[in-house]
Amino acid sequence: MTDVRAFAARQLAPVLASQGSLSGLDAALADSGVATRDRGFAKALCFGVCRTQPRLQALAQELLRQPFKQRDDDIHALLLLGLYQLLYMRVPPHAAVSETAGAARALNKGWATRVINGCLRRFQRESVALQGRVDRDPGVALLHPTWLLKRLRQAWPDDWRAIAEANNQPGPMTLRVNARRTTREGYLARLAEAGIAAEPCRHAATGITLETPCDVSALPGFAEGEVSVQDEAAQLAADLLAPALAGRATPRVLDACAAPGGKAAHLLETCDAELTALDVDAQRLARVRTTLERLGLAAHLEAADAGSLDGWDGTPYEAILLDAPCSGTGVIRRHPDIKLLRRPSDLRELAALQARLLDSLWQALAPGGTLLYATCSVMPEENAEQIAAFLARTPDARAETVDAAWGRAAGAGRQLLPQTGGHDGFFYARLVKESTTPGA
């Protein structure tokens, strides 16, 4: 049987070194040998360490006489795991110390047992003083890299602290009811019968938020396609494209960066469309197929680069959804490794990619058609500023006002900020292609 803490340390080591992510954690767990009963604990450890890493790292620096060598990144991860358990979990302190120190043997580094044990025991003795010392740094206290906290403060001077605090809390589990199979009211009743507490989302018409997250296998009708897991903010895309599809018998729709397929599926649940799901990553595109098959939906799937329109037959689309690659700064609470993996230079590179995708896809949009631009970012350079630049260089494009009860106006679009207990951070802009070029 694989030691759960040693497993977590192996998974975290490349993430802490900015050389990997937690995206493959579920697959790794399935092949790990970690006892089934311990897998939830393993995920909580990995996600928790990433979520609180700035503080854990500062404490580790106080406790260590000298940093571990690069070849011992797994031992460094083990120390952070021990600190996380002592600070944030209900693991009995003696177990957190002894089991974490003992896991060094499972990593074939028995020498580190004494080091980990000594650091964790010292932390227990000096906890109050050590925490007070490191928390003088706002980035440590708010669990964010200094550069990211600075950017949030520049972008949202009145909201940056609330954004950071929301980022530090796990997001709720939100469902999307398949309107082709059932109603929200009907599914809420089924959840109540199953003893699962839930309430309707405030803004998403088919959204439901669970009081407590659960495994999808416990959801009534999940395997049969009656419901999917999708954040409320992401569910708003289908509503925003609905006016462009209304009155059309079978509109041609392109989901340009489709994986993992939640928005494409939602569109097909709400209208009869001829939908093409495009993604540059063939492996990720396979997840779209799996999603659609479970829901009993069909689309044309194509692995291609939306930035070059590879494979496009020249027939324009009435509607295009561009859920653009972005910094993910609106979904940090669901992907806390973003704190470790993002760099300031990433924002410039992503903004350039987003601009290329906008310019390319605009060619494939029919006159009078609508392109919905979306990101799960809270950074203006990826959102309001990106759209302003596109409108300035694209004469036949105009922004259609998103008049909604959610979010706030942000340039020509609408911005949602992450809400504790509520939706993720998201940005939407609805762009319409003029039938004739102004001034022509």
Side-chain angles (χ1 to χ4, degrees):
M1 195 70 70
T2 301
D3 183 285
V4 64
R5 291 171 176 83
F7 167 82
R10 289 191 186 99
Q11 298 302 308
L12 283 168
V15 180
L16 295 171
S18 300
Q19 295 175 352
S21 75
L22 295 182
S23 60
L25 183 58
D26 285 333
L29 271 170
D31 298 329
S32 66
V34 172
T36 303
R37 67 179 181 275
D38 290 333
R39 292 182 181 180
F41 179 55
K43 291 182 70 172
L45 287 173
C46 291
F47 277 79
V49 166
C50 288
R51 186 169 285 117
T52 57
Q53 184 270 349
R55 196 161 187 251
L56 301 180
Q57 177 63 25
L59 289 167
Q61 289 173 343
E62 293 285 332
L63 293 167
L64 289 168
R65 293 179 180 175
Q66 58 185 20
F68 292 110
K69 293 181 171 61
Q70 186 175 353
R71 64 174 179 267
D72 297 318
D73 282 348
D74 52 354
I75 298 302
H76 181 72
L78 204 57
L79 175 57
L80 300 194
L81 283 164
L83 291 169
Y84 179 73
Q85 292 167 74
L86 290 172
L87 278 168
Y88 299 105
M89 298 189 86
R90 295 180 179 178
V91 178
H94 70 275
V97 174
S98 63
E99 296 295 326
T100 302
R105 298 189 187 93
L107 296 171
N108 298 316
K109 296 180 179 179
W111 60 266
T113 300
R114 180 178 294 182
V115 179
I116 298 294
N117 184 74
C119 286
L120 295 180
R121 291 197 180 280
R122 181 188 165 199
F123 175 73
Q124 287 181 295
R125 295 192 303 270
E126 304 176 25
S127 175
V128 173
L130 288 169
Q131 291 184 71
R133 193 180 307 160
V134 300
D135 284 345
R136 293 170 188 162
D137 182 335
V140 170
L142 286 170
L143 308 178
H144 279 63
T146 300
W147 76 267
L148 179 55
L149 204 62
K150 180 180 178 180
R151 296 295 282 269
L152 290 175
R153 192 167 189 167
Q154 290 172 342
W156 304 102
D158 297 327
D159 304 282
W160 64 276
R161 186 177 292 273
I163 294 171
E165 290 171 349
N167 287 346
N168 293 335
Q169 301 298 318
M173 185 171 179
T174 305
L175 310 178
R176 184 191 75 242
V177 173
N178 184 350
R180 291 187 181 270
R181 302 287 183 90
T182 185
T183 64
R184 179 163 69 176
E185 292 69 25
Y187 195 77
L188 280 166
R190 293 190 65 189
L191 288 174
E193 291 172 4
I196 300 175
E199 61 181 14
C201 289
R202 181 179 178 186
H203 304 299
T206 56
I208 292 173
T209 299
L210 302 188
E211 184 177 291
T212 304
C214 68
D215 191 273
V216 293
S217 61
L219 296 173
F222 180 84
E224 293 74 27
E226 294 185 23
V227 69
S228 299
V229 178
Q230 187 180 40
D231 181 74
E232 181 180 19
Q235 293 184 40
L236 300 173
D239 292 340
L240 290 171
L241 269 181
L245 306 178
R248 301 178 186 268
T250 310
R252 278 174 51 84
V253 179
L254 174 65
D255 185 349
C257 301
K263 296 181 183 67
H266 194 191
L267 286 168
L268 291 170
E269 288 171 1
T270 57
C271 72
D272 294 316
E274 180 186 334
L275 188 140
T276 296
L278 194 71
D279 202 274
V280 70
D281 188 328
Q283 289 186 326
R284 282 172 50 82
L285 195 64
R287 296 177 61 189
V288 181
R289 177 174 283 104
T290 300
T291 295
L292 296 179
E293 288 175 350
R294 182 179 64 83
L295 296 168
L297 302 169
H300 172 64
L301 273 59
E302 188 173 343
D305 179 8
S308 59
L309 293 178
D310 292 340
W312 179 45
D313 64 5
T315 306
Y317 295 92
E318 280 83 24
I320 295 176
L321 170 61
L322 172 54
D323 187 6
C326 70
S327 63
T329 45
V331 292
I332 286 175
R333 60 189 188 167
R334 300 191 190 278
H335 304 281
D337 49 351
I338 287 172
K339 293 181 182 181
L340 303 172
L341 303 177
R342 280 282 169 259
R343 296 291 181 269
S345 59
D346 293 341
L347 295 177
R348 293 190 298 273
E349 294 170 4
L350 286 163
L353 173 59
Q354 292 152 7
R356 181 169 71 88
L357 290 170
L358 277 165
D359 291 342
S360 173
L361 291 167
W362 196 250
Q363 302 173 55
L365 185 65
T370 297
L371 186 150
L372 181 65
Y373 177 82
T375 74
C376 53
S377 168
V378 298
M379 295 300 182
E381 54 262 61
E382 298 183 276
N383 297 337
E385 293 173 12
Q386 180 72 258
I387 296 304
F390 174 75
L391 292 171
R393 67 176 179 267
T394 312
D396 59 347
R398 66 175 175 85
E400 192 171 68
T401 301
V402 177
D403 188 12
W406 46 261
R408 62 186 71 186
R414 202 155 186 89
Q415 179 76 58
L416 298 106
L417 301 178
Q419 303 291 310
T420 300
H423 55 68
D424 291 341
F426 241 82
F427 175 83
Y428 287 108
R430 196 160 51 191
L431 306 171
V432 176
K433 193 171 193 176
E434 300 284 8
S435 297
T436 57
T437 302

